[in-house]
Every structure is written in structure tokens, then in C-alpha cells.
Amino acid sequence: MTESTLSGEVIGDIAKASALVSLLLFPLALGWAKLAKQDMRSTIPPLVFMNSGFLGIPLMELRR
């Protein structure tokens, strides 16, 4: 496990920002899938839920 000096409020703000990005990307991904005539089931999830876990640690460090 790991320890963090971040408060619950800061972690909550990061979670809210992540949720907002996902919610904003969904309609864009849906529009792209329709425009490009792609299969929505295989196109939308990778666009909305991209592998960006490596960004979490630097974001947490910036909020110190």
C-alpha cells in the first residue's frame, strides 16, 4: 500500500475532475463513432476510458 499526505478533499477534487473528463468525452466519442461509421461497442470505451493511470501520480504531486 501507499501513504499520501493529501486530504480527502483534494482526492475528491481529483475524482470529480476525472469523472467530468469521462462525461465530456462520452458525447464526443459517440459523435466520432457515428461520423466515422464505426462499431460503437468497440470504439467508444477506449476513447472514453483511455489508459491514463500514469497521470494520477503527477496530478497528486502538483496539488501539494
Side-chain angles (χ1 to χ4, degrees):
M1 297 299 264
T2 184
E3 283 188 29
S4 175
T5 58
L6 295 173
S7 68
E9 181 181 348
V10 171
I11 293 172
D13 289 343
I14 293 170
K16 289 177 200 171
S18 297
L20 179 63
V21 168
S22 294
L23 289 173
L24 292 175
L25 282 175
F26 182 78
L28 293 173
L30 181 64
W32 171 254
K34 286 184 176 183
L35 185 66
K37 297 180 180 160
Q38 298 290 319
D39 178 36
M40 290 186 203
R41 293 178 69 189
S42 63
T43 302
I44 294 174
L47 293 174
V48 175
F49 304 109
M50 60 190 138
N51 183 11
S52 58
F54 63 92
L55 295 175
I57 294 171
L59 285 175
M60 290 176 72
E61 291 298 317
L62 287 175
R63 292 287 301 200
R64 278 186 171 195

